[in-house]
Amino acid sequence: MSWTREDLQELVKSKLAGRLFIVVSNREPYVHVSSGDEIQCVVPASGLTVALDPMMRACGGVWVAHGSGNADREMVDEKNRVLVPPDERSYSLRRIWLTAEEEEGYYLGFSNEALWPLCHVAYTPPSFDEADWNTYKRVNQLFADAVLDEVGDKQAFVFIQDYHLALLSRLIKAKNPEVVTAQFWHIPWPNSEVFRICPWGEELLDGLLGNDLLGFHIGYHCDNFLETVSRTLESKIDYERSVVSRGGGATLVRPFPISVDFDRIAQDAAGRGVTEEMERIRRKWGLNDEYIGVGVDRVDYTKGIPHRFWALDKFLAKYPEYQGRVVFFQLAEPSRTHIRKYMELNLEIDDLIEEVNWRYQSGRWKPIIYIKEHLSPIAVAAFHRLAHFCVVSSLHDGMNLVAKEFVSSRVDEDGVLMLSRFTGAARELTDALLLNPYAIDRFADTIKEAIEMPKRQRQAMMRKLRQNVQQNNIYQWAGSIISELSGLGL
Ligand code: ADQ
């Protein structure tokens, strides 16, 4: 039996009994943007919010996050709160306002130019700037103040998300030690050799060890974290129980592989909206009986987007019989476009697509169709359903939810998932065609293997993948974290 939203609701009621439940993240789950006279409520493309929104819908409570939309201020009450989701109003979103300078130092600067590349080890060097670090500390304090205000004198459980808020639990507990905190780190944790270049490594580790529970996607990241702590800080580590003790407090470190709302995605994918969208896509792009490939990514240098085009290029050169018969749709969400590395990546991808298309295109056919915009979940599901194969070629990825979304939407039990070995997802989805994105020749052969795989084999693989994601869904993820916390004596 797989976990449902109702199971999670029951668990929350019984285990958290009367405690206020607060989620904190940088990114908000709903953004209000104005276009002309109208205000729209948009769901941003982010693995994190996609995963946590179903949990909050099930639990209720408060979600504290940075208000980033241009109409966000118009929607909140005097405590900067708004009820979301718009169709259900099941929890309250409390927005924090940041100045442009704060956003630059804390978000673009320290979080995304230092911590993101430091943890991914994707051969983009981190840059450490003292002013950014100071802003990061200041903004973590702003989040702590808002959380403490929400908590008041209630008993609360605070669930902190990600690398933007590494110092938060310590700051909260400095003022209110009664609050129970758990933190989930959504990106990889590197080994100590890599981490030791961070000039403020000790402070970051100490901040994270303010938590009662610290979660990573996979055991490998937990091991790296424990090793980093043992080499950096005064502490006692019980490897048997995976507990770090320091300064009177204890932190349990555990893997919790994040997932998606399998049933909801599957239901949508089987609906009329998706079927109609598939038809529309076929007509718009003049598709006949071509083999369709799909990639869905934020434009980020960790996702290995150029690598898949190099592999496609190699594949078409090596197996010319497929020229004219394969169309690869790359759906892309622009991301962190104010950071230079991301600007360069965007240009690199544009040039590469033009080059590969130029090399092979003939008549109305070209191998790569690049759709660089935010698409609705229905549109993404339609592409997933049209695809013969989906490519996830990350150079390093904490989990990668696209792989799980693809599998969830294949209600027809068909389609091949090509998955980088360097994603957390590859540890669970072992029935996918696993690949090394750096090994371009073999990657090209894997494209051929995916296209030529007999239907019966494709279906057998997809059935196993679907069972896996259905079983290990987002409610199971949230349920395991809450159960683990209650095991700590809450
Ligand atoms: P991300 O790096 O953001 O998340 P990922 O898990 O791949 O990565 O999720 C991306 C999400 O954005 C998916 O839901 C995808 O469908 C959506 N998306 C991408 N392009 C889109 C587009 N053009 N239009 C609409 N939607 C689009 C971080 C970590 C991951 C981890 C998650 C959750 O880097 O490793 O899986 O958090 O923990």
Side-chain angles (χ1 to χ4, degrees):
M1 286 294 286
S2 54
W3 274 73
T4 63
R5 184 174 156 160
E6 289 71 34
D7 294 333
L8 180 62
Q9 250 157 353
E10 278 305 306
L11 185 86
V12 169
K13 264 191 234 139
S14 66
K15 302 282 189 196
L16 296 181
R19 267 178 201 267
L20 173 64
F21 189 75
I22 301 179
V23 162
V24 197
S25 68
N26 168 67
R27 180 82 63 104
E28 53 182 348
Y30 295 91
V31 186
H32 286 102
V33 284
S34 68
S35 55
D37 285 346
E38 258 185 50
I39 293 185
Q40 283 181 336
C41 186
V42 179
V43 180
S46 136
L48 187 155
T49 51
V50 165
L52 282 166
D53 180 61
M55 175 174 166
M56 283 303 278
R57 285 175 188 243
C59 304
V62 186
W63 186 322
V64 179
H66 169 217
S68 58
N70 63 3
D72 273 359
R73 282 175 198 263
E74 293 173 49
M75 303 305 292
V76 295
D77 64 14
E78 68 286 354
K79 280 224 133 190
N80 297 319
R81 290 195 196 123
V82 55
L83 282 173
V84 291
D87 57 336
E88 212 177 285
R89 297 163 69 86
S90 43
Y91 63 94
S92 154
L93 168 62
R94 169 149 178 175
R95 289 175 166 148
I96 289 186
W97 314 116
L98 300 179
T99 63
E101 184 242 332
E102 282 168 341
E103 209 178 327
E104 196 178 330
Y106 138 85
Y107 178 74
L108 294 173
F110 192 69
S111 298
N112 285 318
E113 288 190 294
L115 285 178
W116 177 269
L118 178 74
C119 289
H120 279 91
V121 207
Y123 305 99
T124 293
S127 74
F128 299 106
D129 181 292
E130 184 121 20
D132 288 350
W133 166 241
N134 288 330
T135 310
Y136 181 87
K137 288 196 281 191
R138 205 168 65 235
V139 172
N140 269 246
Q141 186 63 59
L142 286 178
F143 275 84
D145 293 344
V147 170
L148 287 160
D149 183 47
E150 288 293 334
V151 172
D153 53 9
K154 292 186 269 306
Q155 287 217 306
F157 165 46
V158 179
F159 188 18
I160 303 163
Q161 307 303 317
D162 234 352
Y163 58 100
H164 315 90
L165 300 167
L167 310 175
L168 189 59
S169 66
R170 272 273 183 253
L171 296 170
I172 294 170
K173 289 195 181 193
K175 295 262 170 61
N176 185 345
E178 295 298 306
V179 177
V180 176
T181 66
Q183 183 149 8
F184 191 78
W185 193 263
H186 290 256
I187 62 176
W189 189 277
N191 68 34
S192 61
E193 280 296 302
V194 170
F195 186 78
R196 69 180 182 164
I197 66 167
C198 177
W200 308 285
E202 283 187 32
E203 281 149 283
L204 282 168
L205 289 173
D206 180 63
L208 287 171
L209 291 173
N211 286 290
D212 300 280
L213 177 64
L214 179 60
F216 294 93
H217 290 295
I218 58 176
Y220 178 59
H221 301 154
C222 297
D223 294 346
N224 279 348
F225 180 79
L226 294 179
E227 189 223 352
T228 310
V229 171
S230 82
R231 288 177 188 239
T232 319
L233 282 185
E234 278 287 321
S235 64
K236 195 169 135 263
I237 303 180
D238 177 341
Y239 286 97
E240 199 67 10
R241 290 168 48 234
S242 207
V243 172
V244 184
S245 305
R246 175 173 161 81
T251 307
L252 177 64
V253 179
R254 279 284 151 85
F256 300 97
I258 207 166
S259 193
V260 294
D261 191 345
F262 177 92
D263 288 334
R264 197 177 149 117
I265 296 174
Q267 207 178 11
D268 284 353
R272 259 227 344 243
V274 167
T275 326
E276 285 169 6
E277 184 64 17
M278 286 163 75
E279 245 342 282
R280 209 187 58 77
I281 296 167
R282 276 204 192 93
R283 273 201 312 275
K284 173 164 182 189
W285 298 104
L287 301 175
N288 296 309
D289 54 358
E290 294 89 347
Y291 294 102
I292 310 287
V294 70
V296 186
D297 306 79
R298 276 191 308 101
V299 182
D300 194 295
Y301 52 78
T302 60
K303 303 289 181 186
I305 299 171
H307 299 67
R308 73 188 65 158
F309 298 141
W310 294 329
L312 198 65
D313 184 9
K314 195 63 15 115
F315 162 78
L316 291 170
K318 205 167 164 188
Y319 306 108
E321 64 274 23
Y322 282 108
Q323 290 179 20
R325 295 174 57 207
V326 175
V327 177
F328 189 84
F329 283 94
Q330 177 62 52
L331 318 182
E333 169 100 22
S335 175
R336 306 173 192 167
T337 46
H338 298 294
I339 298 177
R340 199 168 48 84
K341 288 278 176 228
Y342 287 76
M343 290 175 204
E344 289 166 3
L345 176 69
N346 272 282
L347 293 177
E348 184 189 356
I349 292 173
D350 290 347
D351 286 352
L352 186 56
I353 291 175
E354 196 165 308
E355 188 190 319
V356 175
N357 278 344
W358 176 82
R359 198 159 17 252
Y360 301 102
Q361 70 194 10
S362 87
R364 293 174 63 177
W365 174 82
K366 56 180 177 177
I368 303 170
I369 295 178
Y370 191 34
I371 303 178
K372 196 165 153 188
E373 60 189 76
H374 177 78
L375 297 172
S376 71
I378 296 290
V380 174
F383 278 105
H384 279 325
R385 289 238 18 219
L386 276 172
H388 290 84
F389 61 101
C390 171
V391 178
V392 174
S393 54
S394 311
L395 307 182
H396 202 179
D397 219 327
M399 175 52 67
N400 192 285
L401 295 179
V402 174
K404 294 187 173 184
E405 289 165 354
F406 174 66
V407 167
S408 309
S409 52
R410 292 314 294 250
V411 282
D412 58 343
E413 300 185 329
D414 203 350
V416 178
L417 173 63
M418 295 173 54
L419 179 61
S420 163
R421 293 182 181 283
F422 310 133
T423 59
R427 309 277 168 137
E428 293 174 274
L429 304 181
T430 47
D431 289 292
L433 279 187
L434 298 183
L435 60 91
N436 171 354
Y438 291 97
I440 301 299
D441 282 275
R442 259 193 271 159
F443 191 164
D445 289 343
T446 313
I447 296 177
K448 183 167 184 278
E449 190 185 342
I451 288 176
E452 294 180 356
M453 187 182 287
K455 184 164 183 183
R456 204 184 298 179
Q457 191 184 345
R458 291 196 310 258
Q459 289 181 323
M461 284 169 85
M462 184 50 81
R463 248 177 244 132
K464 288 196 202 150
L465 290 169
R466 286 175 62 74
Q467 269 168 14
N468 191 315
V469 181
Q470 183 166 29
Q471 197 66 37
N472 302 303
N473 63 21
I474 186 64
Y475 299 110
Q476 192 261 351
W477 175 79
S480 316
I481 292 177
I482 289 166
S483 303
E484 196 67 67
L485 267 173
S486 65
L488 293 176
L490 302 184

